[in-house]
Amino acid sequence: MKDQHAANAARQDEAATLYIKALSPLHLGSGQADVNVDAEVIHDDAGLPYFPAKRFKGLLYESALEVAEMSELSGLNLLAKEEIDALFHRGCAGEAQLIIPKLYLEDQAAMHESWAYLEEAFPALFQPSDVLESYTSLRYQTKIDRETGTAADTSLHNMRVVDAGLCFKGEIEIVDGNRRAWEILVLALRNLSEAGLKRTRGFGHIACSMERDGKDILSPILQDVLAQAEGGRQ
């Protein structure tokens, strides 16, 4: 019994490194615009784009609910809405606390230091807007007039997107959690494949992975969960 208590304690307050890779252009809107950009990407003071923590946590919650719905329809019994709400503290507070930070580009600290130095030393050559353009692109769209088949007047607009191939990372933590809390998180991450705006237009495709001590932990946990669900259905 003492060994079991020790094992349970060892699973508490664990952290893991989360990676989000943009498989297609990704719009992480800042809610801001100017004379040149209609929909800007959120970025830090140096001009480096990042993935907001609150927004990503909301996406994870929605993804977990989708898994619960799919598991109910399939009879696998993978997740229940009640345990999802408890982990994400939606209407009820469970013992475990899911902590998700802002997710920054890989090597963000070193890049921020370098860009900030250049911006301070050579302000005429380097501005945060210049840095942002190094990691993003502008996409233009227009609305077609159905009657004429041509572009509608004053309908041209643009939005900035994070370039495909960029990867964001951060340390995700579950305080006072257990194995089940990590299983819920893994199922939500595995199901999450889209983020940002214009998802039906080819934008916002992402891939999530999670490591601890440099080793993949998402796949092994996912395999265990699916095996247990299949065994319970037989």
PDB file of all heavy atoms in Angstrom, residues 127-164:
ATOM      1  N   GLN A 127      12.548  47.009 -36.861  1.00  0.00           N
ATOM      2  CA  GLN A 127      11.372  47.305 -36.065  1.00  0.00           C
ATOM      3  C   GLN A 127      10.623  45.992 -35.820  1.00  0.00           C
ATOM      4  O   GLN A 127      10.793  45.027 -36.569  1.00  0.00           O
ATOM      5  CB  GLN A 127      10.468  48.295 -36.786  1.00  0.00           C
ATOM      6  CG  GLN A 127      11.050  49.699 -36.918  1.00  0.00           C
ATOM      7  CD  GLN A 127      11.147  50.395 -35.576  1.00  0.00           C
ATOM      8  OE1 GLN A 127      10.243  50.303 -34.741  1.00  0.00           O
ATOM      9  NE2 GLN A 127      12.254  51.112 -35.356  1.00  0.00           N
ATOM     10  N   PRO A 128       9.783  45.922 -34.768  1.00  0.00           N
ATOM     11  CA  PRO A 128       8.998  44.704 -34.538  1.00  0.00           C
ATOM     12  C   PRO A 128       8.195  44.271 -35.758  1.00  0.00           C
ATOM     13  O   PRO A 128       8.032  43.066 -35.999  1.00  0.00           O
ATOM     14  CB  PRO A 128       8.080  45.105 -33.378  1.00  0.00           C
ATOM     15  CG  PRO A 128       8.871  46.117 -32.633  1.00  0.00           C
ATOM     16  CD  PRO A 128       9.608  46.894 -33.678  1.00  0.00           C
ATOM     17  N   SER A 129       7.716  45.242 -36.548  1.00  0.00           N
ATOM     18  CA  SER A 129       6.957  44.892 -37.753  1.00  0.00           C
ATOM     19  C   SER A 129       7.827  44.159 -38.766  1.00  0.00           C
ATOM     20  O   SER A 129       7.355  43.267 -39.475  1.00  0.00           O
ATOM     21  CB  SER A 129       6.362  46.153 -38.387  1.00  0.00           C
ATOM     22  OG  SER A 129       7.384  47.092 -38.700  1.00  0.00           O
ATOM     23  N   ASP A 130       9.109  44.520 -38.836  1.00  0.00           N
ATOM     24  CA  ASP A 130      10.034  43.835 -39.738  1.00  0.00           C
ATOM     25  C   ASP A 130      10.277  42.400 -39.278  1.00  0.00           C
ATOM     26  O   ASP A 130      10.360  41.474 -40.093  1.00  0.00           O
ATOM     27  CB  ASP A 130      11.370  44.584 -39.805  1.00  0.00           C
ATOM     28  CG  ASP A 130      11.205  46.010 -40.281  1.00  0.00           C
ATOM     29  OD1 ASP A 130      10.489  46.217 -41.281  1.00  0.00           O
ATOM     30  OD2 ASP A 130      11.794  46.916 -39.665  1.00  0.00           O
ATOM     31  N   VAL A 131      10.406  42.227 -37.961  1.00  0.00           N
ATOM     32  CA  VAL A 131      10.604  40.886 -37.404  1.00  0.00           C
ATOM     33  C   VAL A 131       9.381  40.019 -37.690  1.00  0.00           C
ATOM     34  O   VAL A 131       9.499  38.858 -38.107  1.00  0.00           O
ATOM     35  CB  VAL A 131      10.863  40.971 -35.884  1.00  0.00           C
ATOM     36  CG1 VAL A 131      10.962  39.567 -35.285  1.00  0.00           C
ATOM     37  CG2 VAL A 131      12.129  41.772 -35.606  1.00  0.00           C
ATOM     38  N   LEU A 132       8.204  40.580 -37.466  1.00  0.00           N
ATOM     39  CA  LEU A 132       6.967  39.833 -37.688  1.00  0.00           C
ATOM     40  C   LEU A 132       6.865  39.354 -39.134  1.00  0.00           C
ATOM     41  O   LEU A 132       6.435  38.224 -39.397  1.00  0.00           O
ATOM     42  CB  LEU A 132       5.765  40.704 -37.334  1.00  0.00           C
ATOM     43  CG  LEU A 132       4.389  40.046 -37.403  1.00  0.00           C
ATOM     44  CD1 LEU A 132       4.301  38.877 -36.448  1.00  0.00           C
ATOM     45  CD2 LEU A 132       3.292  41.063 -37.093  1.00  0.00           C
ATOM     46  N   GLU A 133       7.287  40.185 -40.069  1.00  0.00           N
ATOM     47  CA  GLU A 133       7.222  39.812 -41.478  1.00  0.00           C
ATOM     48  C   GLU A 133       8.150  38.657 -41.815  1.00  0.00           C
ATOM     49  O   GLU A 133       7.953  37.970 -42.825  1.00  0.00           O
ATOM     50  CB  GLU A 133       7.559  41.025 -42.350  1.00  0.00           C
ATOM     51  CG  GLU A 133       6.477  42.097 -42.347  1.00  0.00           C
ATOM     52  CD  GLU A 133       6.846  43.294 -43.200  1.00  0.00           C
ATOM     53  OE1 GLU A 133       7.969  43.284 -43.771  1.00  0.00           O
ATOM     54  OE2 GLU A 133       6.032  44.233 -43.288  1.00  0.00           O
ATOM     55  N   SER A 134       9.149  38.422 -40.957  1.00  0.00           N
ATOM     56  CA  SER A 134      10.086  37.318 -41.199  1.00  0.00           C
ATOM     57  C   SER A 134       9.453  35.955 -40.925  1.00  0.00           C
ATOM     58  O   SER A 134       9.938  34.931 -41.414  1.00  0.00           O
ATOM     59  CB  SER A 134      11.331  37.480 -40.320  1.00  0.00           C
ATOM     60  OG  SER A 134      12.005  38.684 -40.605  1.00  0.00           O
ATOM     61  N   TYR A 135       8.387  35.939 -40.121  1.00  0.00           N
ATOM     62  CA  TYR A 135       7.756  34.682 -39.727  1.00  0.00           C
ATOM     63  C   TYR A 135       6.313  34.561 -40.225  1.00  0.00           C
ATOM     64  O   TYR A 135       5.652  33.566 -39.937  1.00  0.00           O
ATOM     65  CB  TYR A 135       7.766  34.554 -38.199  1.00  0.00           C
ATOM     66  CG  TYR A 135       9.153  34.628 -37.613  1.00  0.00           C
ATOM     67  CD1 TYR A 135       9.679  35.845 -37.159  1.00  0.00           C
ATOM     68  CD2 TYR A 135       9.953  33.496 -37.523  1.00  0.00           C
ATOM     69  CE1 TYR A 135      10.963  35.918 -36.630  1.00  0.00           C
ATOM     70  CE2 TYR A 135      11.233  33.565 -36.991  1.00  0.00           C
ATOM     71  CZ  TYR A 135      11.735  34.775 -36.549  1.00  0.00           C
ATOM     72  OH  TYR A 135      13.008  34.845 -36.027  1.00  0.00           O
ATOM     73  N   THR A 136       5.851  35.564 -40.950  1.00  0.00           N
ATOM     74  CA  THR A 136       4.455  35.588 -41.375  1.00  0.00           C
ATOM     75  C   THR A 136       4.328  36.031 -42.825  1.00  0.00           C
ATOM     76  O   THR A 136       5.304  36.463 -43.438  1.00  0.00           O
ATOM     77  CB  THR A 136       3.630  36.546 -40.488  1.00  0.00           C
ATOM     78  OG1 THR A 136       4.141  37.885 -40.659  1.00  0.00           O
ATOM     79  CG2 THR A 136       3.708  36.155 -39.029  1.00  0.00           C
ATOM     80  N   SER A 137       3.114  35.948 -43.352  1.00  0.00           N
ATOM     81  CA  SER A 137       2.812  36.390 -44.707  1.00  0.00           C
ATOM     82  C   SER A 137       1.444  37.057 -44.710  1.00  0.00           C
ATOM     83  O   SER A 137       0.623  36.826 -43.814  1.00  0.00           O
ATOM     84  CB  SER A 137       2.800  35.206 -45.684  1.00  0.00           C
ATOM     85  OG  SER A 137       4.009  34.475 -45.634  1.00  0.00           O
ATOM     86  N   LEU A 138       1.198  37.864 -45.731  1.00  0.00           N
ATOM     87  CA  LEU A 138      -0.116  38.472 -45.913  1.00  0.00           C
ATOM     88  C   LEU A 138      -0.883  37.701 -46.972  1.00  0.00           C
ATOM     89  O   LEU A 138      -0.341  37.359 -48.029  1.00  0.00           O
ATOM     90  CB  LEU A 138       0.016  39.939 -46.326  1.00  0.00           C
ATOM     91  CG  LEU A 138       0.411  40.940 -45.243  1.00  0.00           C
ATOM     92  CD1 LEU A 138       0.527  42.334 -45.839  1.00  0.00           C
ATOM     93  CD2 LEU A 138      -0.598  40.943 -44.098  1.00  0.00           C
ATOM     94  N   ARG A 139      -2.143  37.418 -46.687  1.00  0.00           N
ATOM     95  CA  ARG A 139      -3.012  36.739 -47.641  1.00  0.00           C
ATOM     96  C   ARG A 139      -4.176  37.672 -47.983  1.00  0.00           C
ATOM     97  O   ARG A 139      -4.813  38.216 -47.082  1.00  0.00           O
ATOM     98  CB  ARG A 139      -3.531  35.422 -47.071  1.00  0.00           C
ATOM     99  CG  ARG A 139      -2.419  34.411 -46.798  1.00  0.00           C
ATOM    100  CD  ARG A 139      -1.639  34.080 -48.057  1.00  0.00           C
ATOM    101  NE  ARG A 139      -0.499  33.233 -47.811  1.00  0.00           N
ATOM    102  CZ  ARG A 139      -0.517  31.901 -47.927  1.00  0.00           C
ATOM    103  NH1 ARG A 139      -1.656  31.299 -48.249  1.00  0.00           N
ATOM    104  NH2 ARG A 139       0.565  31.211 -47.712  1.00  0.00           N
ATOM    105  N   TYR A 140      -4.452  37.812 -49.274  1.00  0.00           N
ATOM    106  CA  TYR A 140      -5.499  38.728 -49.734  1.00  0.00           C
ATOM    107  C   TYR A 140      -6.703  37.937 -50.208  1.00  0.00           C
ATOM    108  O   TYR A 140      -6.578  36.872 -50.833  1.00  0.00           O
ATOM    109  CB  TYR A 140      -4.970  39.606 -50.873  1.00  0.00           C
ATOM    110  CG  TYR A 140      -3.921  40.593 -50.428  1.00  0.00           C
ATOM    111  CD1 TYR A 140      -2.588  40.204 -50.290  1.00  0.00           C
ATOM    112  CD2 TYR A 140      -4.256  41.912 -50.125  1.00  0.00           C
ATOM    113  CE1 TYR A 140      -1.622  41.101 -49.862  1.00  0.00           C
ATOM    114  CE2 TYR A 140      -3.289  42.816 -49.698  1.00  0.00           C
ATOM    115  CZ  TYR A 140      -1.978  42.404 -49.571  1.00  0.00           C
ATOM    116  OH  TYR A 140      -1.028  43.293 -49.142  1.00  0.00           O
ATOM    117  N   GLN A 141      -7.888  38.468 -49.902  1.00  0.00           N
ATOM    118  CA  GLN A 141      -9.134  37.832 -50.321  1.00  0.00           C
ATOM    119  C   GLN A 141     -10.107  38.903 -50.786  1.00  0.00           C
ATOM    120  O   GLN A 141     -10.032  40.058 -50.356  1.00  0.00           O
ATOM    121  CB  GLN A 141      -9.757  37.052 -49.164  1.00  0.00           C
ATOM    122  CG  GLN A 141      -8.870  35.934 -48.632  1.00  0.00           C
ATOM    123  CD  GLN A 141      -9.528  35.190 -47.503  1.00  0.00           C
ATOM    124  OE1 GLN A 141     -10.708  34.870 -47.551  1.00  0.00           O
ATOM    125  NE2 GLN A 141      -8.773  34.903 -46.454  1.00  0.00           N
ATOM    126  N   THR A 142     -11.001  38.506 -51.640  1.00  0.00           N
ATOM    127  CA  THR A 142     -12.038  39.418 -52.102  1.00  0.00           C
ATOM    128  C   THR A 142     -13.350  38.669 -52.222  1.00  0.00           C
ATOM    129  O   THR A 142     -13.375  37.442 -52.382  1.00  0.00           O
ATOM    130  CB  THR A 142     -11.662  40.048 -53.465  1.00  0.00           C
ATOM    131  OG1 THR A 142     -12.600  41.067 -53.795  1.00  0.00           O
ATOM    132  CG2 THR A 142     -11.660  38.990 -54.563  1.00  0.00           C
ATOM    133  N   LYS A 143     -14.439  39.392 -52.166  1.00  0.00           N
ATOM    134  CA  LYS A 143     -15.767  38.804 -52.285  1.00  0.00           C
ATOM    135  C   LYS A 143     -16.256  38.934 -53.725  1.00  0.00           C
ATOM    136  O   LYS A 143     -16.125  39.992 -54.333  1.00  0.00           O
ATOM    137  CB  LYS A 143     -16.739  39.513 -51.337  1.00  0.00           C
ATOM    138  CG  LYS A 143     -18.149  38.951 -51.347  1.00  0.00           C
ATOM    139  CD  LYS A 143     -19.034  39.698 -50.362  1.00  0.00           C
ATOM    140  CE  LYS A 143     -20.447  39.138 -50.366  1.00  0.00           C
ATOM    141  NZ  LYS A 143     -21.324  39.872 -49.406  1.00  0.00           N
ATOM    142  N   ILE A 144     -16.775  37.844 -54.254  1.00  0.00           N
ATOM    143  CA  ILE A 144     -17.267  37.834 -55.632  1.00  0.00           C
ATOM    144  C   ILE A 144     -18.754  38.194 -55.683  1.00  0.00           C
ATOM    145  O   ILE A 144     -19.560  37.623 -54.945  1.00  0.00           O
ATOM    146  CB  ILE A 144     -17.044  36.461 -56.300  1.00  0.00           C
ATOM    147  CG1 ILE A 144     -15.548  36.101 -56.281  1.00  0.00           C
ATOM    148  CG2 ILE A 144     -17.573  36.467 -57.719  1.00  0.00           C
ATOM    149  CD1 ILE A 144     -14.680  37.085 -57.049  1.00  0.00           C
ATOM    150  N   ASP A 145     -19.095  39.158 -56.527  1.00  0.00           N
ATOM    151  CA  ASP A 145     -20.487  39.541 -56.743  1.00  0.00           C
ATOM    152  C   ASP A 145     -21.160  38.434 -57.558  1.00  0.00           C
ATOM    153  O   ASP A 145     -20.765  38.142 -58.683  1.00  0.00           O
ATOM    154  CB  ASP A 145     -20.551  40.868 -57.502  1.00  0.00           C
ATOM    155  CG  ASP A 145     -21.968  41.427 -57.568  1.00  0.00           C
ATOM    156  OD1 ASP A 145     -22.888  40.658 -57.893  1.00  0.00           O
ATOM    157  OD2 ASP A 145     -22.125  42.634 -57.316  1.00  0.00           O
ATOM    158  N   ARG A 146     -22.186  37.807 -56.999  1.00  0.00           N
ATOM    159  CA  ARG A 146     -22.838  36.670 -57.668  1.00  0.00           C
ATOM    160  C   ARG A 146     -23.537  37.081 -58.965  1.00  0.00           C
ATOM    161  O   ARG A 146     -23.677  36.274 -59.884  1.00  0.00           O
ATOM    162  CB  ARG A 146     -23.841  36.023 -56.713  1.00  0.00           C
ATOM    163  CG  ARG A 146     -23.186  35.361 -55.508  1.00  0.00           C
ATOM    164  CD  ARG A 146     -24.211  34.648 -54.646  1.00  0.00           C
ATOM    165  NE  ARG A 146     -23.585  33.977 -53.506  1.00  0.00           N
ATOM    166  CZ  ARG A 146     -24.268  33.273 -52.613  1.00  0.00           C
ATOM    167  NH1 ARG A 146     -25.595  33.153 -52.728  1.00  0.00           N
ATOM    168  NH2 ARG A 146     -23.623  32.691 -51.613  1.00  0.00           N
ATOM    169  N   GLU A 147     -23.982  38.300 -59.044  1.00  0.00           N
ATOM    170  CA  GLU A 147     -24.701  38.737 -60.241  1.00  0.00           C
ATOM    171  C   GLU A 147     -23.750  39.026 -61.394  1.00  0.00           C
ATOM    172  O   GLU A 147     -24.030  38.662 -62.539  1.00  0.00           O
ATOM    173  CB  GLU A 147     -25.534  39.984 -59.922  1.00  0.00           C
ATOM    174  CG  GLU A 147     -26.661  39.720 -58.929  1.00  0.00           C
ATOM    175  CD  GLU A 147     -27.509  40.958 -58.704  1.00  0.00           C
ATOM    176  OE1 GLU A 147     -27.195  42.011 -59.317  1.00  0.00           O
ATOM    177  OE2 GLU A 147     -28.479  40.879 -57.921  1.00  0.00           O
ATOM    178  N   THR A 148     -22.623  39.650 -61.088  1.00  0.00           N
ATOM    179  CA  THR A 148     -21.690  40.019 -62.165  1.00  0.00           C
ATOM    180  C   THR A 148     -20.549  39.024 -62.339  1.00  0.00           C
ATOM    181  O   THR A 148     -19.900  38.989 -63.384  1.00  0.00           O
ATOM    182  CB  THR A 148     -21.092  41.404 -61.888  1.00  0.00           C
ATOM    183  OG1 THR A 148     -20.305  41.353 -60.683  1.00  0.00           O
ATOM    184  CG2 THR A 148     -22.195  42.440 -61.710  1.00  0.00           C
ATOM    185  N   GLY A 149     -20.298  38.221 -61.296  1.00  0.00           N
ATOM    186  CA  GLY A 149     -19.191  37.278 -61.365  1.00  0.00           C
ATOM    187  C   GLY A 149     -17.836  37.938 -61.214  1.00  0.00           C
ATOM    188  O   GLY A 149     -16.796  37.321 -61.479  1.00  0.00           O
ATOM    189  N   THR A 150     -17.812  39.183 -60.800  1.00  0.00           N
ATOM    190  CA  THR A 150     -16.562  39.915 -60.619  1.00  0.00           C
ATOM    191  C   THR A 150     -16.403  40.296 -59.149  1.00  0.00           C
ATOM    192  O   THR A 150     -17.330  40.136 -58.344  1.00  0.00           O
ATOM    193  CB  THR A 150     -16.541  41.197 -61.482  1.00  0.00           C
ATOM    194  OG1 THR A 150     -17.643  42.031 -61.093  1.00  0.00           O
ATOM    195  CG2 THR A 150     -16.680  40.847 -62.948  1.00  0.00           C
ATOM    196  N   ALA A 151     -15.231  40.806 -58.831  1.00  0.00           N
ATOM    197  CA  ALA A 151     -14.957  41.197 -57.454  1.00  0.00           C
ATOM    198  C   ALA A 151     -15.866  42.353 -57.046  1.00  0.00           C
ATOM    199  O   ALA A 151     -16.015  43.331 -57.783  1.00  0.00           O
ATOM    200  CB  ALA A 151     -13.503  41.603 -57.305  1.00  0.00           C
ATOM    201  N   ALA A 152     -16.480  42.226 -55.885  1.00  0.00           N
ATOM    202  CA  ALA A 152     -17.353  43.279 -55.380  1.00  0.00           C
ATOM    203  C   ALA A 152     -16.522  44.495 -54.994  1.00  0.00           C
ATOM    204  O   ALA A 152     -15.386  44.370 -54.531  1.00  0.00           O
ATOM    205  CB  ALA A 152     -18.144  42.770 -54.179  1.00  0.00           C
ATOM    206  N   ASP A 153     -17.073  45.651 -55.176  1.00  0.00           N
ATOM    207  CA  ASP A 153     -16.371  46.883 -54.837  1.00  0.00           C
ATOM    208  C   ASP A 153     -16.039  46.930 -53.347  1.00  0.00           C
ATOM    209  O   ASP A 153     -16.847  46.537 -52.509  1.00  0.00           O
ATOM    210  CB  ASP A 153     -17.230  48.101 -55.203  1.00  0.00           C
ATOM    211  CG  ASP A 153     -17.401  48.252 -56.710  1.00  0.00           C
ATOM    212  OD1 ASP A 153     -16.563  47.687 -57.446  1.00  0.00           O
ATOM    213  OD2 ASP A 153     -18.377  48.899 -57.138  1.00  0.00           O
ATOM    214  N   THR A 154     -14.854  47.437 -53.052  1.00  0.00           N
ATOM    215  CA  THR A 154     -14.345  47.619 -51.685  1.00  0.00           C
ATOM    216  C   THR A 154     -14.340  46.322 -50.864  1.00  0.00           C
ATOM    217  O   THR A 154     -14.407  46.357 -49.644  1.00  0.00           O
ATOM    218  CB  THR A 154     -15.168  48.687 -50.924  1.00  0.00           C
ATOM    219  OG1 THR A 154     -16.493  48.183 -50.670  1.00  0.00           O
ATOM    220  CG2 THR A 154     -15.245  49.983 -51.703  1.00  0.00           C
ATOM    221  N   SER A 155     -14.303  45.160 -51.541  1.00  0.00           N
ATOM    222  CA  SER A 155     -14.333  43.903 -50.807  1.00  0.00           C
ATOM    223  C   SER A 155     -12.942  43.311 -50.578  1.00  0.00           C
ATOM    224  O   SER A 155     -12.802  42.313 -49.877  1.00  0.00           O
ATOM    225  CB  SER A 155     -15.194  42.876 -51.548  1.00  0.00           C
ATOM    226  OG  SER A 155     -14.593  42.517 -52.788  1.00  0.00           O
ATOM    227  N   LEU A 156     -11.903  43.899 -51.171  1.00  0.00           N
ATOM    228  CA  LEU A 156     -10.552  43.361 -51.003  1.00  0.00           C
ATOM    229  C   LEU A 156     -10.077  43.602 -49.573  1.00  0.00           C
ATOM    230  O   LEU A 156     -10.119  44.722 -49.072  1.00  0.00           O
ATOM    231  CB  LEU A 156      -9.587  44.023 -51.991  1.00  0.00           C
ATOM    232  CG  LEU A 156      -8.130  43.549 -51.911  1.00  0.00           C
ATOM    233  CD1 LEU A 156      -8.034  42.092 -52.299  1.00  0.00           C
ATOM    234  CD2 LEU A 156      -7.238  44.416 -52.803  1.00  0.00           C
ATOM    235  N   HIS A 157      -9.641  42.544 -48.910  1.00  0.00           N
ATOM    236  CA  HIS A 157      -9.075  42.694 -47.576  1.00  0.00           C
ATOM    237  C   HIS A 157      -7.975  41.662 -47.391  1.00  0.00           C
ATOM    238  O   HIS A 157      -7.845  40.720 -48.179  1.00  0.00           O
ATOM    239  CB  HIS A 157     -10.150  42.537 -46.487  1.00  0.00           C
ATOM    240  CG  HIS A 157     -10.729  41.155 -46.416  1.00  0.00           C
ATOM    241  ND1 HIS A 157     -11.711  40.696 -47.267  1.00  0.00           N
ATOM    242  CD2 HIS A 157     -10.459  40.121 -45.573  1.00  0.00           C
ATOM    243  CE1 HIS A 157     -12.025  39.448 -46.966  1.00  0.00           C
ATOM    244  NE2 HIS A 157     -11.278  39.079 -45.943  1.00  0.00           N
ATOM    245  N   ASN A 158      -7.179  41.835 -46.357  1.00  0.00           N
ATOM    246  CA  ASN A 158      -6.081  40.911 -46.129  1.00  0.00           C
ATOM    247  C   ASN A 158      -6.020  40.499 -44.661  1.00  0.00           C
ATOM    248  O   ASN A 158      -6.661  41.092 -43.794  1.00  0.00           O
ATOM    249  CB  ASN A 158      -4.744  41.525 -46.564  1.00  0.00           C
ATOM    250  CG  ASN A 158      -4.393  42.784 -45.784  1.00  0.00           C
ATOM    251  OD1 ASN A 158      -4.758  42.937 -44.627  1.00  0.00           O
ATOM    252  ND2 ASN A 158      -3.675  43.699 -46.423  1.00  0.00           N
ATOM    253  N   MET A 159      -5.251  39.466 -44.410  1.00  0.00           N
ATOM    254  CA  MET A 159      -4.985  39.044 -43.038  1.00  0.00           C
ATOM    255  C   MET A 159      -3.579  38.457 -42.994  1.00  0.00           C
ATOM    256  O   MET A 159      -3.094  37.894 -43.974  1.00  0.00           O
ATOM    257  CB  MET A 159      -6.013  38.023 -42.543  1.00  0.00           C
ATOM    258  CG  MET A 159      -5.922  36.657 -43.155  1.00  0.00           C
ATOM    259  SD  MET A 159      -7.107  35.510 -42.377  1.00  0.00           S
ATOM    260  CE  MET A 159      -6.647  33.964 -43.180  1.00  0.00           C
ATOM    261  N   ARG A 160      -2.947  38.622 -41.859  1.00  0.00           N
ATOM    262  CA  ARG A 160      -1.612  38.082 -41.687  1.00  0.00           C
ATOM    263  C   ARG A 160      -1.706  36.662 -41.128  1.00  0.00           C
ATOM    264  O   ARG A 160      -2.552  36.380 -40.273  1.00  0.00           O
ATOM    265  CB  ARG A 160      -0.786  38.958 -40.744  1.00  0.00           C
ATOM    266  CG  ARG A 160       0.704  38.571 -40.738  1.00  0.00           C
ATOM    267  CD  ARG A 160       1.501  39.436 -39.787  1.00  0.00           C
ATOM    268  NE  ARG A 160       1.465  40.843 -40.157  1.00  0.00           N
ATOM    269  CZ  ARG A 160       2.223  41.359 -41.117  1.00  0.00           C
ATOM    270  NH1 ARG A 160       3.037  40.585 -41.823  1.00  0.00           N
ATOM    271  NH2 ARG A 160       2.160  42.651 -41.380  1.00  0.00           N
ATOM    272  N   VAL A 161      -0.853  35.788 -41.595  1.00  0.00           N
ATOM    273  CA  VAL A 161      -0.839  34.408 -41.128  1.00  0.00           C
ATOM    274  C   VAL A 161       0.578  33.997 -40.754  1.00  0.00           C
ATOM    275  O   VAL A 161       1.557  34.455 -41.358  1.00  0.00           O
ATOM    276  CB  VAL A 161      -1.387  33.428 -42.193  1.00  0.00           C
ATOM    277  CG1 VAL A 161      -2.868  33.667 -42.441  1.00  0.00           C
ATOM    278  CG2 VAL A 161      -0.603  33.540 -43.499  1.00  0.00           C
ATOM    279  N   VAL A 162       0.680  33.150 -39.751  1.00  0.00           N
ATOM    280  CA  VAL A 162       1.952  32.538 -39.396  1.00  0.00           C
ATOM    281  C   VAL A 162       2.301  31.529 -40.480  1.00  0.00           C
ATOM    282  O   VAL A 162       1.439  30.754 -40.925  1.00  0.00           O
ATOM    283  CB  VAL A 162       1.857  31.839 -38.026  1.00  0.00           C
ATOM    284  CG1 VAL A 162       3.127  31.069 -37.722  1.00  0.00           C
ATOM    285  CG2 VAL A 162       1.569  32.855 -36.937  1.00  0.00           C
ATOM    286  N   ASP A 163       3.539  31.534 -40.934  1.00  0.00           N
ATOM    287  CA  ASP A 163       3.940  30.654 -42.027  1.00  0.00           C
ATOM    288  C   ASP A 163       3.881  29.178 -41.622  1.00  0.00           C
ATOM    289  O   ASP A 163       4.188  28.813 -40.476  1.00  0.00           O
ATOM    290  CB  ASP A 163       5.363  30.985 -42.490  1.00  0.00           C
ATOM    291  CG  ASP A 163       5.440  32.336 -43.171  1.00  0.00           C
ATOM    292  OD1 ASP A 163       4.410  32.787 -43.700  1.00  0.00           O
ATOM    293  OD2 ASP A 163       6.531  32.939 -43.172  1.00  0.00           O
ATOM    294  N   ALA A 164       3.509  28.342 -42.579  1.00  0.00           N
ATOM    295  CA  ALA A 164       3.497  26.898 -42.351  1.00  0.00           C
ATOM    296  C   ALA A 164       4.913  26.416 -42.049  1.00  0.00           C
ATOM    297  O   ALA A 164       5.890  26.926 -42.591  1.00  0.00           O
ATOM    298  CB  ALA A 164       2.947  26.186 -43.584  1.00  0.00           C
TER     299      ALA A 164
END
